[in-house]
Amino acid sequence: MKISKVGAAAAVAVALAMTATACGGGSDKGSSDAGPSGGGGKDKVVIGIKFDQPGVGLKTPDGKYTGFDVDVATYVAKELGYQPDQIEWKQAVSAERENLISNGDVKFIVASYSINDKRKERVDFAGPYLLAHQDLLVRADDTSITKPEDLNKKKLCSVTGSTSAQNVKTKLAPEADLLEQGGYSECLTGLENKKVDALTTDNSILAGYAAQEKNKGKFKLVGLSLSNENYGIGLKKGDKDLQTKINAALKKMVSDGSWEAAVKKNFGPADYKNEPAPQITEGS
């Protein structure tokens, strides 16, 4: 009986030792894998972009992402230490951009995001990285809209939460029948089906739509510069370190020629006349 008790005690001791070793090993492994560095390299970075803007930010049917904003975001991410396969793209519709940033759902947003004072109350920006102008897209055979005042009494479409929609309401054509949709694709369908007379947003976005193979010959840009839209990269308010790093990446993108190459690749087919790369103003 004594031997049995001693044996049992020894077995318990061995079991406790093994448990402690296992726990210790699990802890070591956990500490090596924990955090964003995951085994010495960076983990994923979540970046917000538009999914429905050809030439700017587009998710294609085969699951790929293309556009000028995508190229800018990929370049910035690489400068921050992330390779393309470490990027997780998240859709950032206009009305939800501030929420995505404030809630920590994204690291930063590159989504035709115009810098303005109202938005800067909730988020910070890096950049700007592109100067666009609000314009109008109409059907190719439409000659009735040549100036802002022509929008009055017309059916006009834009996207909920966009700067363009607000400009129309308050400055350009208060008598326009404004339809606000969740995305530009819905507006484009309405324009093609003659349910609306014009689509308004930035000329960069409109150029992307007009340049699509399926839309060639259907639409045209009116050629108005109704506003100046400085596109910035949105990030969490107060993150000065990230702001500084993104600004440095944008400056490098311009200086090494990558910015100009991205403009030509994404907007060139629509004969888009871009402004030169803007000076960095945010965070300075």
Side-chain angles (χ1 to χ4, degrees), residues 8-278:
V12 170
V14 170
L16 287 172
M18 290 177 68
T19 301
T21 301
C23 289
S27 176
D28 289 344
K29 183 178 180 181
S31 63
S32 66
D33 289 345
S37 57
K42 288 183 182 291
D43 200 0
K44 287 185 177 180
V45 60
V46 183
I47 304 174
I49 59 169
K50 290 294 180 67
F51 279 15
D52 66 340
Q53 293 180 355
V56 180
L58 181 70
K59 182 178 181 181
T60 61
D62 58 358
K64 295 180 181 178
Y65 301 89
T66 64
F68 181 71
D69 281 355
V70 175
D71 290 342
V72 170
T74 301
Y75 189 101
V76 169
K78 188 174 182 180
E79 290 301 302
L80 295 176
Y82 298 96
Q83 295 303 312
D85 61 358
Q86 293 174 292
I87 297 173
E88 179 181 328
W89 302 110
K90 189 172 185 67
Q91 186 173 22
V93 298
S94 295
E96 289 298 317
R97 288 176 296 202
E98 287 83 31
N99 291 333
L100 290 171
I101 294 170
S102 299
N103 296 339
D105 296 323
V106 294
K107 184 75 170 176
F108 56 87
I109 285 180
V110 191
S112 55
Y113 202 1
S114 299
I115 300 170
N116 63 40
D117 290 339
K118 184 177 180 181
R119 289 168 178 167
K120 287 168 73 170
E121 291 175 2
R122 294 189 59 191
V123 302
D124 280 340
F125 286 94
Y129 64 91
L130 183 73
L131 174 58
H133 303 288
Q134 184 180 354
D135 200 355
L136 302 171
L137 190 71
V138 298
R139 289 181 290 277
D141 59 355
D142 189 343
T143 58
S144 66
I145 300 174
T146 60
K147 57 186 183 297
E149 293 77 12
D150 293 335
L151 295 171
N152 285 311
K153 309 299 185 183
K154 296 283 189 179
K155 292 180 180 178
L156 182 66
C157 192
S158 193
V159 172
T160 304
S162 74
T163 305
S164 300
Q166 298 307 314
N167 284 341
V168 168
K169 282 182 178 180
T170 60
K171 301 175 185 177
L172 303 175
E175 295 181 42
D177 183 5
L178 180 62
L179 173 66
E180 294 183 278
Q181 296 279 27
Y184 293 105
S185 297
E186 293 94 323
C187 284
L188 197 71
T189 299
L191 183 60
E192 185 173 6
N193 296 336
K194 298 187 177 181
K195 297 197 176 188
V196 297
D197 299 302
L199 162 58
T200 185
T201 188
D202 304 340
N203 54 3
S204 56
I205 298 169
L206 298 176
Y209 279 115
Q212 282 188 296
E213 190 65 36
K214 65 179 181 179
N215 292 330
K216 285 183 178 178
K218 292 182 180 179
F219 310 107
K220 66 181 179 181
L221 285 159
V222 175
L224 304 175
S225 293
L226 302 178
S227 69
N228 293 328
E229 305 297 336
N230 281 292
Y231 288 179
I233 296 180
L235 58 141
K236 200 154 194 176
K237 198 161 185 65
D239 195 341
K240 298 301 181 185
D241 181 59
L242 180 60
Q243 185 185 51
T244 299
K245 289 178 179 177
I246 293 178
N247 280 337
L250 293 175
K251 290 177 182 177
K252 183 178 178 181
M253 186 177 187
V254 172
S255 65
D256 69 11
S258 299
W259 184 90
E260 188 68 29
V263 168
K264 289 180 179 177
K265 181 182 83 170
N266 292 292
F267 301 131
D271 197 27
Y272 170 72
K273 307 299 183 186
N274 68 284
E275 300 277 3

Side-chain angles (χ1 to χ4, degrees), residues 1-17:
M1 185 63 68
K2 281 185 177 181
I3 294 174
S4 176
K5 287 181 178 178
V6 170
V12 170
V14 170
L16 287 172

